[in-house]
Amino acid sequence: MVSSQRDTAKTPGLKFSNGSARWVREQSISPSQQIPSQDRPFFGPSQRHFDESQAFNPNGRGPTNGNDWSSWVEVGVKLFDLPTIVTTLDIWKRFSQEGNVIYVELFEDRRGQRDGKACVRFSPPPARPFWESNKIHLPLARHGTVAIGVQMEPKRRTFYYPSPINANVKYPEVMGMHAESVEFGTLLDSQTMMKMCTVHASRDRKAGVEFRQDMQHREITVEFEIHIQDPRAGLRKYERRETMQFRIPFSQLQNIRQYEEKDKKLVLVVSLNNPPKFFKQLSPVDTHDDKAAKWGGNDAWYRQTDVVYAPNTLKKSPLSLRKIQPIIDLGSWTTYRFVFDRSRNNMAQFNLMCRALQDYNILIQPCPTFRIAGQYPPGIWDLLDRSSQEKKQDHYGLNELGEDSTRPMSFLVRYQLEVCISQGLLNEHNLKKQFVDQLVNMKIEQAQDLLEYVANQGKVMWDPMTLFDLLVGDSSTLRSRIPHYCVYVRSATVTPTTVLFHTPVPDISNRVIRQFSQYSDRFLRVKFTEEKPDGKIYATDKETMNEVFTRVKRVLTNGILIGDRKYEFLACGNSQFREHGAYFFAPLPNLPTRRIREWMGLFTEIKTVPLYSARLGQCFSTTRAVTGAKTEVVEISDVERNGFNFTDGVGRISNFLANLAASELGLMRHTTEAPSVFQIRVGGCKGILAVSPTSEPREIHLRKSQYKFPATHEGLEIIRWSQFACANLNRQLILVLSALGVPDGIFSQKLRLQLADLEKAMTDEKTALDILQRDIDYNQMTLTVAGMILDGFQKTEEIFTVSLLQLWRAWSIKYLKEKARITIAGGALLLGCVDEYAILRGHFENAPKPHDDAPIEEKARHIPEVFVQVSKGLNGKPKIILGPMLIARNPSLHPGDVRVVCGIDIPRLHHLRNVVVLPQTGDRDVASMCSGGDLDGDDFLVIWDQDLIPREWNHEPMDYSRPFLPPHGSDIGINDLTTFFVTYMKNDSVSCIAIAHLENGDYLDQGVKDEKCLKLAALHSMAVDYVKTGQPATMTRDLKAPKRPHFMDNTHVRADRVYVSKKVLGQLYDQVERVDFVPAYALPFDKRILDAYESSAGLLEAAAEIKMQYDASMRRIMAQYEIKTEFEIWSTFVLQHTTTLNAFKFHEQLGQISGALKDQFQGLCRARAGGRDFRKLGPFVAAMYKVTSVEMGQALAECQQTQFVGGVLRPLRRMTAEHMPLISFPWLFPDVLGKIANSYIHTGNESNPETAYVSPSTIELARDALKPTDPKKLRPIASMLDVNDDLQTAHGVTRRGQKLELFEDADKVEPKETVYDPKLAQILPSSSGHSLVDITPPGSSNGALGQAGPYSSHSSGLAISAEGSHKDVGSESEGSTEEMLRRSPSSESEQTEDIEHDQQGVRLEPKNGFLSKLSQITGDG
């Protein structure tokens, strides 16, 4: 037992009131204020409507006179005439003589310089009004004494907090009680707690264990003093007393158990699913920083990760679930029992506390049968570890196991068991020898299935023996049949107090895991986060988180222990690094982690730790390997000028290899063309490859900027590829556009239209189709949903389709509210590449700069040119965008990050679609002006909606050049890498700077053009580059906004620090009302499918078996990311998740995870059905649909039935996502379901039901509008493929597994210098004779190169006149330009037949195009 003692307070009658060291006066309580009988409810009367005059304040008094400062909760005093050398410690020391100081601030001017003023706050108020003298002497450390002015501040606020359900009801900000003791333990079952540690209040400590309810921060704070005694007799080396505190957010509380002990003492039991945050108090004297301008009471509270007798014992210990003799196991003992003496507590205030908790849906639940169990150690670890040791000692199985021995447990089972224990689903104290014996006697796959089922369900199993009564399907076939590009990945989440292991899930592999695939179970993906559900560990400029960062370093150094395996730090991928994650590996004698790193590449020439870490991480990029073709690597030069690289990260790929890659990736099933750009890895090369019609069939062209280090050749690896995604604004971009002159009303108008369209789309098919085919998400799921609508599933109100539509609406509205994510129809999110022909005009510094109000035609003459050709919608025709448009990257914080460029038509670039082609001419590359971007895989936001073209064009861009990296003094080792990892975590200030920029951008009159915002934009760029430069960005306090706008998350911000924003973001926020997503479980399944086939019992049974496996895999992903519904995973429209990735990145990542899940089970279903043939697959998919319908019908019936639970009548099943069956299984095949529903089979294509088509729909879409394509014609045939994929380079042949070394003579090769050629930008005359744009280089005379229709260069047969009509024009050209045009990939007639042009919002296309037909059918003129 741990006792708790504390010396008497210096100020009699005072007690601690909250974590910021606020004190309130104790007050004696008369017996009449107590509630002695358990017959009366402890949670107080049901009366809720009371005002402030009826509420209790924290002092236990009624309302006080506002002029009586001595009755205030907090008093502030202003200080004047301070010298610049004064510190917060000087002020704290002097004024602590007057009372309890909780806050000190030294004021600074806008430049961050001290202005001689300060404030100091006391709680409770000081004993005397020392400020009445107006002067006071302040001693300075080593600088004598100075006289300063003092003045009391007026009362800052009422210190009452409104109820969340009734604003007229207000509670004291802080209410508290004194507990006699607090016990730490664990639940053995719902009514039994095992007590592991007890902390008592001593007689000397009047306050005891303090239990405080903080309404402002919505948390319960528990503070206590613990006496840590040496367990060894006679030794007192580490004996100490420490004041500790833990904070329980309301969001983690569901109920509080309450009962009364025999001596009439009140007992409260709080049990949590996740550990709270623990703190230790240091002496305030030791927590001041001489350079800091602020100090608060929280600066004295330091986070804790372990409470042990000798902290040094942790220094070399690996992390494991088993903890040896902790004083308090902060991560596992998450049940707390508080005992209160009624006579020492104000029970009326307790009733008020309970009433306030009820307003947050936290119930005080009577629990008279609650029990306390005796303590005993968990025996399972000894059983498991002993069996592992015996397995090692008796490698050949010659010794017989003793009577008490247990057979060794397979690591696969051991790992899954630790998954369940770490997540609190199985209690280690409940696991006995009988359980372990039965588990090890089962087949490994069967034991895995049982434990995975427990983890997937996410429900605590109090009696572990009931596990063996479960009927779980066999998943062994499932584990062996995952897509070839996937691997099962084990992962762990390390929090400050515990570690959570996760069930293995299929994920796209990387180069390293593919190479060592036979050891895939020895890889562990580790992530360091805050306690659930807080997510990311944020950087801090204070020392209060040092223990957490020390724990991270300890884990990186000592590893993680699971069974008999110790996982060691290996390396971390680049995206992993930013999210505080890394790969660990359990080494073998013949395969240490060092050898894996050596295989990854030669890094000896890299002399800086950040770059070394980044190059290691390059090998962990999630990729899919392309095999089957010998490839020739052609080394080409970069285009560099004025210190800028115009081709940074971009190479070329032949049409043949592009088609081969697209076929390997499965992209040729629904299209006739390969993507134009691939983001790739080849050995130590990275970046993108753009399709080049002039390249030889087996060539890829790589530039020096793409070659990073010599690495093992593992073939061509694809990360992602170009595709159309809709453009979305965000809060930062809106602030920049507003500052550049876009009227606020434009944003409001587009928001209103989007909200109206979303509402109408729920009931109107045409509207839904228009939006879904226009506003395409990154994963292209809106097109899938549009296909479901075309198949009539919205009209029949099919359960899954309607649920998806409602989710899509809720998802769209959520991000409209939280991020101002307005979708722009006239825009796209596209990969960037370069104009290899140097035709496009670039950015010239000496180009004329017309004034902001000049005509668009004049302004467009001198801006850079781009080529954009997009294809969007179901089988939509390609469309070339002409005229002025915006180009930007996310995030855009500087007003120069958003560029205005001019789209023109270049026939030689018509082979590039769904990319933005940037110029290689000019003085500075356009990509670097867009938030410091390059062309190695960056996405660019392109907007041609003329409403959003700002008044001011092309503000002076920011300088994004990186600082020089000094070389590391010695060879770089693992300790250097892990130290940099922790240092990065501590200094990763990207999000803090972005938030400060957003706050100031709204608060300041000049918005993002204000000097503060410009400094923050530069700091943000520095913080983003920190991962590569190692130079942290430090944000000074003067750059923080004094107040926060109401549209931000202000959960824990005082009301007086929040203002109602009247600017554009505040207006947009107020226009949106949140919408909850509720699956439409009551709607029917589609009878067209249910009645299509007579399914045999065998077919239904087979479908049901695979569905069970699919459901388990789906629930596994839901559990890992804490996503509430299957609809979110299937569609990737996620409303809430626990990862630290931003919404866009997680949307992209989940697309890969969801796609791998679908591929896996599509393969299983096709194998069971007998193939892809619709005649075989159709009946099986219908059986899948029927099985799902039957399950849902049974569940709905149970929802209508009731039963008595604890004397209360409740439904047998609740109609919530948590309790209803999963229904997405048959929608693995939406196209097949559409065929069945419409009884339509493609003529001549029955062998491949997944070919592109639009089936008949309730809108009567003409079938001849689209002709199905046979992707097999576009795939490379077997005779064209090779048995190996050797690389032919300038230095010989590099075979798979050999080091790829390029650019060995790079020092002798001069970078390519491109000269802008006016002939390549010549505008041909149009029949109208009118020209809007004269595309000439700076200094050329206007008209020298002829006149043309606006934005048309090398006319492709369509020109647009100023009035917007399009006319046929001849194609005239001279000299070298004509020759180049003849080498274009197709003739002009072929190029223009299927191309529509878009100029400033005008959509044009050939009259016989598909969009025209669809418009006629749908009535969309």
Side-chain angles (χ1 to χ4, degrees):
M1 182 181 296
V2 178
S3 63
S4 174
Q5 297 181 352
R6 183 176 178 180
D7 296 334
T8 55
K10 294 181 180 179
T11 308
L14 296 182
K15 71 182 183 69
F16 232 52
S17 175
N18 67 13
S20 59
R22 177 182 299 150
W23 296 70
V24 296
R25 298 183 184 278
E26 282 197 55
Q27 192 145 352
S28 60
I29 302 169
S30 65
S32 62
Q33 291 177 291
Q34 302 173 23
I35 304 179
S37 173
Q38 195 171 2
D39 295 337
R40 297 179 61 184
F42 291 137
F43 46 81
S46 60
Q47 175 68 27
R48 281 175 170 269
H49 300 286
F50 57 96
D51 57 24
E52 189 174 310
S53 64
Q54 295 173 299
F56 294 89
N57 71 15
N59 297 330
R61 306 172 180 173
T64 57
N65 186 342
N67 297 321
D68 181 11
W69 60 266
S70 63
S71 65
W72 298 354
V73 173
E74 178 182 297
V75 167
V77 177
K78 289 183 179 179
L79 311 181
F80 306 94
D81 305 325
L82 292 168
T84 57
I85 59 174
V86 72
T87 66
T88 58
L89 180 59
D90 293 330
I91 294 176
W92 183 88
K93 282 183 174 179
R94 171 60 186 87
F95 289 95
S96 290
Q97 301 172 20
E98 303 293 341
N100 186 64
V101 176
I102 64 168
Y103 183 76
V104 177
E105 180 177 3
L106 303 172
F107 295 140
E108 298 176 340
D109 60 22
R110 292 176 63 87
R111 296 172 298 170
Q113 304 296 320
R114 303 276 172 84
D115 65 2
K117 299 176 184 178
C119 75
V120 59
R121 294 182 194 146
F122 300 84
S123 182
R128 67 185 185 93
F130 62 86
W131 51 83
E132 290 182 351
S133 65
N134 296 326
K135 288 284 184 180
I136 199 168
H137 291 283
L138 175 68
L140 302 177
R142 298 184 299 277
H143 292 285
T145 303
V146 296
I148 62 171
V150 291
Q151 178 185 349
M152 189 184 78
E153 290 182 337
K155 190 175 182 180
R156 299 176 65 245
R157 60 184 195 275
T158 64
F159 300 100
Y160 283 86
Y161 200 81
S163 163
I165 63 174
N166 186 348
N168 295 322
V169 174
K170 296 183 179 180
Y171 299 104
E173 279 189 5
V174 180
M175 299 177 280
M177 297 178 61
H178 310 304
E180 288 187 344
S181 64
V182 56
E183 296 166 354
F184 299 82
T186 179
L187 287 182
L188 298 181
D189 59 49
S190 62
Q191 297 292 314
T192 306
M193 171 186 175
M194 177 183 286
K195 179 174 60 177
M196 307 299 294
C197 172
T198 303
V199 177
H200 289 285
S202 70
R203 296 177 181 176
D204 296 333
R205 180 180 168 90
K206 290 187 176 181
V209 177
E210 296 172 17
F211 183 97
R212 296 189 299 274
Q213 193 166 299
D214 188 331
M215 302 304 298
Q216 180 183 355
H217 296 100
R218 301 177 192 175
E219 64 186 14
I220 289 175
T221 302
V222 179
E223 185 181 319
F224 58 93
E225 188 175 86
I226 185 170
H227 183 193
I228 298 177
Q229 297 174 301
D230 196 325
R232 299 167 295 177
L235 297 177
R236 306 184 63 177
K237 181 178 180 182
Y238 294 105
E239 188 165 330
R240 60 197 184 274
R241 295 179 186 274
E242 292 180 346
T243 301
M244 303 195 74
Q245 181 186 98
F246 61 94
R247 303 168 188 171
I248 306 173
F250 286 180
S251 58
Q252 286 189 244
L253 286 170
Q254 293 180 346
N255 59 65
I256 297 177
R257 296 177 176 89
Q258 170 196 307
Y259 66 96
E260 192 174 85
E261 289 191 331
K262 294 179 181 178
D263 53 3
K264 301 295 183 181
K265 291 185 177 178
L266 173 67
V267 178
L268 298 180
V269 178
V270 177
S271 186
L272 305 178
N273 294 327
N274 305 302
K277 295 178 181 178
F278 271 79
F279 302 83
K280 180 176 72 174
Q281 188 184 34
L282 272 63
S283 169
V285 176
D286 300 328
T287 60
H288 290 261
D289 182 350
D290 289 346
K291 297 180 180 179
K294 294 181 182 180
W295 177 90
N298 275 332
D299 293 345
W301 290 98
Y302 278 47
R303 281 290 296 279
Q304 295 298 290
T305 61
D306 300 272
V307 181
V308 295
Y309 169 68
N312 285 342
T313 58
L314 302 171
K315 191 172 182 179
K316 295 185 178 180
S317 301
L319 177 66
S320 71
L321 282 182
R322 185 180 192 181
K323 293 189 177 180
I324 308 299
Q325 294 184 330
I327 293 175
I328 303 177
D329 187 341
L330 305 183
S332 299
W333 302 346
T334 55
T335 298
Y336 314 99
R337 181 176 178 266
F338 302 92
V339 180
F340 299 91
D341 185 341
R342 295 175 184 278
S343 63
R344 296 191 66 244
N345 287 282
N346 184 338
M347 299 311 295
Q349 181 157 272
F350 173 64
N351 293 338
L352 192 62
M353 292 168 65
C354 297
R355 189 178 300 168
L357 290 175
Q358 282 184 314
D359 288 356
Y360 287 91
N361 200 31
I362 302 168
L363 301 180
I364 309 297
Q365 192 174 42
C367 196
T369 59
F370 196 81
R371 300 177 299 275
I372 302 298
Q375 180 180 343
Y376 55 84
I380 185 170
W381 302 116
D382 287 334
L383 285 171
L384 296 175
D385 294 342
R386 189 190 315 141
S387 65
S388 296
Q389 284 299 116
E390 291 170 349
K391 179 181 178 181
K392 285 183 178 180
Q393 294 169 3
D394 184 22
H395 181 72
Y396 298 100
L398 300 178
N399 299 330
E400 293 186 6
L401 292 173
E403 222 175 89
D404 296 331
S405 297
T406 299
R407 283 180 53 195
M409 181 179 287
S410 161
F411 175 79
L412 300 177
V413 180
R414 170 74 181 262
Y415 175 84
Q416 196 60 41
L417 178 60
E418 295 206 22
V419 169
C420 295
I421 295 174
S422 69
Q423 297 184 15
L425 306 175
L426 292 174
N427 190 315
E428 59 185 353
H429 293 85
N430 289 336
L431 303 177
K432 306 295 194 275
K433 186 175 185 300
Q434 180 186 2
F435 173 82
V436 176
D437 288 343
Q438 192 159 342
L439 203 59
V440 298
N441 287 328
M442 301 174 70
K443 291 182 179 179
I444 292 176
E445 293 80 5
Q446 188 180 4
Q448 270 186 282
D449 291 340
L450 286 173
L451 293 169
E452 285 184 10
Y453 177 82
V454 174
N456 295 342
Q457 294 299 308
K459 296 178 181 177
V460 178
M461 184 169 284
W462 300 118
D463 181 3
M465 296 306 295
T466 59
L467 175 73
F468 305 108
D469 299 330
L470 297 175
L471 296 176
V472 180
D474 182 13
S475 299
S476 56
T477 304
L478 174 63
R479 292 191 188 93
S480 64
R481 298 198 60 165
I482 60 174
H484 67 279
Y485 56 86
C486 290
V487 65
Y488 274 100
V489 177
R490 288 168 173 78
S491 59
T493 301
V494 178
T495 75
T497 63
T498 189
V499 57
L500 303 171
F501 299 114
H502 305 287
T503 300
V505 295
D507 202 355
I508 298 177
S509 62
N510 57 56
R511 172 189 307 178
V512 179
I513 295 180
R514 280 195 296 270
Q515 171 66 22
F516 300 97
S517 57
Q518 66 270 40
Y519 307 114
S520 61
D521 63 332
R522 289 185 168 268
F523 287 92
L524 184 70
R525 200 159 54 191
V526 179
K527 194 170 186 178
F528 297 91
T529 73
E530 259 294 2
E531 306 293 356
K532 291 173 63 178
D534 285 352
K536 192 171 184 177
I537 296 175
Y538 287 101
T540 175
D541 56 355
K542 300 180 182 297
E543 304 298 317
T544 54
M545 290 287 286
N546 278 2
E547 282 293 320
V548 174
F549 295 124
T550 300
R551 173 179 168 87
V552 173
K553 173 64 175 175
R554 214 162 46 222
V555 174
L556 292 170
T557 302
N558 302 331
I560 299 174
L561 197 63
I562 307 176
D564 59 353
R565 294 184 183 180
K566 189 173 87 166
Y567 287 83
E568 300 175 357
F569 172 80
L570 177 61
C572 45
N574 294 326
S575 60
Q576 263 190 314
F577 191 92
R578 295 181 187 277
E579 300 302 321
H580 307 163
Y583 272 101
F584 282 48
F585 182 77
L588 291 165
N590 62 336
L591 188 61
T593 53
R594 169 184 50 80
R595 184 174 298 176
I596 297 177
R597 284 189 290 269
E598 289 172 352
W599 172 88
M600 288 160 60
L602 298 175
F603 306 102
T604 53
E605 297 301 315
I606 301 174
K607 300 301 182 183
T608 62
V609 176
L611 196 58
Y612 192 103
S613 176
R615 296 299 172 242
L616 279 173
Q618 191 173 313
C619 299
F620 287 94
S621 298
T622 299
T623 59
R624 292 175 62 173
V626 177
T627 58
K630 292 181 180 179
T631 304
E632 180 180 355
V633 175
V634 179
E635 299 175 7
I636 58 176
S637 300
D638 279 295
V639 178
E640 297 180 284
R641 194 179 306 110
N642 303 327
F644 298 105
N645 192 333
F646 290 71
T647 55
D648 190 3
V650 57
R652 300 192 285 256
I653 187 172
S654 68
N655 274 319
F656 170 75
L657 290 178
N659 280 299
L660 176 67
S663 179
E664 180 77 18
L665 297 169
L667 304 179
M668 305 297 280
R669 297 175 183 170
H670 300 282
T671 183
T672 60
E673 292 189 7
S676 299
V677 167
F678 297 88
Q679 188 177 11
I680 56 92
R681 297 286 186 265
V682 179
C685 301
K686 66 187 288 280
I688 65 169
L689 297 177
V691 171
S692 171
T694 59
S695 298
E696 295 298 323
R698 297 177 183 273
E699 283 185 353
I700 60 173
H701 298 184
L702 295 174
R703 288 187 163 92
K704 177 70 187 307
S705 60
Q706 297 182 276
Y707 180 64
K708 305 302 181 182
F709 60 93
T712 304
H713 164 49
E714 290 298 319
L716 177 63
E717 301 170 83
I718 307 295
I719 296 177
R720 61 189 184 120
W721 47 89
S722 57
Q723 57 187 7
F724 181 90
C726 63
N728 295 292
L729 301 180
N730 56 40
R731 294 188 298 192
Q732 292 157 328
L733 189 57
I734 289 172
L735 282 179
V736 171
L737 291 176
S738 179
L740 294 176
V742 177
D744 294 351
I746 294 294
F747 303 109
S748 295
Q749 177 188 12
K750 293 187 179 299
L751 175 66
R752 286 194 299 270
L753 288 173
Q754 186 172 347
L755 289 172
D757 284 347
L758 287 169
E759 184 67 31
K760 188 177 180 182
M762 295 302 100
T763 55
D764 184 82
E765 293 182 15
K766 179 183 174 300
T767 302
L769 277 173
D770 287 345
I771 302 174
L772 289 165
Q773 293 178 94
R774 181 192 69 199
D775 302 343
I776 304 171
D777 69 298
Y778 180 85
N779 293 320
Q780 315 285 293
M781 289 307 301
T782 56
L783 295 179
T784 302
V785 179
M788 296 161 66
I789 294 175
L790 283 170
D791 287 324
F793 290 116
Q794 183 182 20
K795 186 170 186 178
T796 61
E797 295 188 327
E798 198 275 337
I799 175 175
F800 188 76
T801 304
V802 173
S803 295
L804 278 185
L805 285 170
Q806 292 176 352
L807 170 62
W808 167 64
R809 173 173 171 251
W811 176 72
S812 300
I813 290 176
K814 168 187 168 68
Y815 288 105
L816 279 173
K817 182 74 170 177
E818 296 177 2
K819 305 295 183 183
R821 187 178 179 271
I822 301 173
T823 301
I824 304 302
L829 184 69
L830 306 172
L831 280 170
C833 65
V834 75
D835 166 25
E836 294 286 358
Y837 305 109
I839 300 174
L840 297 170
R841 182 182 62 220
H843 168 80
F844 291 91
E845 295 292 343
N846 61 348
K849 294 180 174 59
H851 59 83
D852 292 343
D853 295 324
I856 289 180
E857 295 88 344
E858 181 183 348
K859 293 166 74 173
R861 294 178 195 274
H862 312 289
I863 59 177
E865 298 166 346
V866 298
F867 176 78
V868 178
Q869 180 180 201
V870 297
S871 57
K872 60 178 184 175
L874 289 174
N875 290 270
K877 301 299 180 183
K879 180 171 60 178
I880 295 174
I881 312 300
L882 306 176
M885 63 183 77
L886 299 177
I887 183 171
R889 288 177 63 248
N890 284 325
S892 294
L893 277 65
H894 191 275
D897 288 341
V898 179
R899 315 304 296 173
V900 181
V901 294
C902 185
I904 66 171
D905 183 9
I906 304 294
R908 296 207 70 188
L909 299 176
H910 281 185
H911 62 282
L912 296 173
R913 296 183 182 180
N914 294 328
V915 295
V916 53
V917 185
L918 303 179
Q920 60 164 285
T921 62
D923 296 326
R924 178 175 177 180
D925 62 305
V926 174
S928 70
M929 291 189 282
C930 299
S931 306
D934 53 32
L935 299 177
D936 68 352
D938 285 5
D939 291 302
F940 291 86
L941 188 71
V942 182
I943 297 177
W944 52 89
D945 185 331
Q946 297 302 295
D947 291 340
L948 293 172
I949 303 298
R951 179 173 173 269
E952 178 186 350
W953 286 18
N954 295 337
H955 188 97
E956 189 67 24
M958 196 166 78
D959 179 12
Y960 286 100
S961 57
R962 290 174 182 165
F964 171 74
L965 279 73
H968 194 63
S970 58
D971 290 341
I972 298 171
I974 289 302
N975 184 59
D976 299 310
L977 295 176
T978 57
T979 299
F980 177 60
F981 186 100
V982 178
T983 306
Y984 174 81
M985 285 184 66
K986 189 171 183 180
N987 295 282
D988 178 16
S989 55
V990 172
S991 58
C992 298
I993 295 172
I995 289 172
H997 183 274
L998 185 63
E999 293 171 348
N1000 282 292
D1002 186 83
Y1003 183 79
L1004 300 170
D1005 291 339
Q1006 288 187 287
V1008 297
K1009 290 185 176 181
D1010 189 275
E1011 183 183 356
K1012 262 190 178 184
C1013 286
L1014 297 178
K1015 286 182 180 179
L1016 286 165
L1019 278 175
H1020 188 271
S1021 173
M1022 188 176 181
V1024 169
D1025 288 341
Y1026 176 39
V1027 68
K1028 295 181 180 178
T1029 65
Q1031 297 191 13
T1034 303
M1035 182 175 66
T1036 55
R1037 290 182 181 269
D1038 62 294
L1039 293 178
K1040 295 182 179 179
K1043 291 189 175 184
R1044 287 172 63 98
H1046 75 290
F1047 58 77
M1048 299 185 70
D1049 180 10
N1050 297 310
T1051 304
H1052 299 303
V1053 181
R1054 290 200 316 262
D1056 60 333
R1057 280 210 63 229
V1058 178
Y1059 69 94
V1060 177
S1061 170
K1062 300 298 183 182
K1063 289 189 177 180
V1064 58
L1065 292 182
Q1067 298 170 29
L1068 298 176
Y1069 181 84
D1070 293 338
Q1071 287 182 31
V1072 183
E1073 294 294 333
R1074 298 180 189 272
V1075 174
D1076 293 330
F1077 167 58
V1078 180
Y1081 290 125
L1083 290 182
F1085 283 73
D1086 198 309
K1087 288 183 65 63
R1088 296 177 298 169
I1089 302 172
L1090 295 176
D1091 299 339
Y1093 297 94
E1094 290 290 338
S1095 302
S1096 67
L1099 204 61
L1100 292 171
E1101 185 177 344
E1105 182 180 346
I1106 299 179
K1107 183 181 187 298
M1108 184 182 296
Q1109 297 172 0
Y1110 170 84
D1111 290 352
S1113 297
M1114 176 65 78
R1115 291 191 187 278
R1116 194 174 297 134
I1117 299 173
M1118 292 166 63
Q1120 181 173 352
Y1121 298 102
E1122 295 193 17
I1123 297 173
K1124 293 184 177 179
T1125 71
E1126 62 176 322
F1127 304 96
E1128 295 168 74
I1129 292 173
W1130 189 94
S1131 66
T1132 70
F1133 303 147
V1134 177
L1135 299 175
Q1136 189 174 0
H1137 61 87
T1138 57
T1139 72
T1140 56
L1141 291 171
N1142 64 47
F1144 177 79
K1145 286 292 184 184
F1146 184 67
H1147 182 71
E1148 179 183 346
Q1149 177 181 309
L1150 189 62
Q1152 296 177 340
I1153 295 168
S1154 178
L1157 175 73
K1158 292 172 183 176
D1159 282 354
Q1160 179 183 11
F1161 282 93
Q1162 284 170 355
L1164 282 172
C1165 292
R1166 290 192 193 104
R1168 180 60 184 84
R1172 294 174 175 267
D1173 192 306
F1174 181 75
R1175 288 167 294 189
K1176 296 179 179 178
L1177 188 58
F1180 190 78
V1181 172
M1184 294 163 61
Y1185 195 79
K1186 287 182 181 180
V1187 165
T1188 307
S1189 173
V1190 170
E1191 280 191 15
M1192 180 56 67
Q1194 294 171 348
L1196 290 173
E1198 291 175 3
C1199 291
Q1200 302 301 318
Q1201 302 172 27
T1202 56
Q1203 62 180 351
F1204 281 97
V1205 179
V1208 179
L1209 193 63
R1210 294 180 178 175
L1212 194 61
R1213 183 196 290 261
R1214 294 170 59 190
M1215 196 183 295
T1216 62
E1218 182 182 359
H1219 299 93
M1220 297 298 281
L1222 304 185
I1223 62 172
S1224 60
F1225 174 55
W1227 292 97
L1228 290 167
F1229 301 96
D1231 293 349
V1232 178
L1233 288 173
K1235 280 188 175 185
I1236 298 171
N1238 292 284
S1239 302
Y1240 173 62
I1241 302 175
H1242 283 296
T1243 304
N1245 263 324
E1246 298 161 8
S1247 61
N1248 189 359
E1250 295 182 54
T1251 51
Y1253 76 101
V1254 176
S1255 59
S1257 73
T1258 54
I1259 313 177
E1260 299 297 330
L1261 181 64
R1263 292 179 182 171
D1264 59 353
L1266 292 172
K1267 295 181 180 179
T1269 58
D1270 187 353
K1272 292 183 178 178
K1273 295 179 181 178
L1274 303 166
R1275 299 176 183 171
I1277 59 177
S1279 61
M1280 300 173 65
L1281 303 181
D1282 305 304
V1283 294
N1284 57 49
D1285 47 8
D1286 297 342
L1287 284 180
Q1288 175 69 48
T1289 71
H1291 312 287
V1293 176
T1294 301
R1295 292 183 168 81
R1296 180 178 284 269
Q1298 295 179 338
K1299 287 287 187 297
L1300 172 63
E1301 299 189 60
L1302 301 173
F1303 298 95
E1304 293 183 0
D1305 301 323
D1307 295 336
K1308 302 177 184 178
V1309 179
E1310 292 293 329
K1312 180 181 176 183
E1313 187 69 39
T1314 304
V1315 179
Y1316 181 73
D1317 184 356
K1319 291 183 179 180
L1320 300 183
Q1322 181 175 355
I1323 300 180
L1324 303 177
S1326 74
S1327 57
S1328 68
H1330 182 84
S1331 176
L1332 280 182
V1333 178
D1334 181 9
I1335 306 179
T1336 59
S1340 298
S1341 59
N1342 291 341
L1345 300 177
Q1347 301 290 326
Y1351 322 125
S1352 173
S1353 179
H1354 303 308
S1355 174
S1356 59
L1358 283 177
I1360 305 174
S1361 70
E1363 291 75 24
S1365 61
H1366 70 281
K1367 303 174 182 291
D1368 291 331
V1369 297
S1371 179
E1372 299 179 8
S1373 184
E1374 300 183 41
S1376 60
T1377 305
E1378 183 181 6
E1379 293 176 15
M1380 280 195 296
L1381 287 175
R1382 283 201 296 267
R1383 292 198 299 270
S1384 295
S1386 58
S1387 68
E1388 291 180 10
S1389 60
E1390 291 173 330
Q1391 293 167 356
T1392 59
E1393 180 181 359
D1394 292 332
I1395 296 176
E1396 57 173 320
H1397 290 66
D1398 192 327
Q1399 178 201 359
Q1400 301 183 13
V1402 180
R1403 298 179 59 185
L1404 301 173
E1405 59 157 343
K1407 293 181 179 180
N1408 62 347
F1410 164 69
L1411 295 178
S1412 295
K1413 293 186 179 181
L1414 184 60
S1415 297
Q1416 295 169 10
I1417 295 167
T1418 60
D1420 181 8

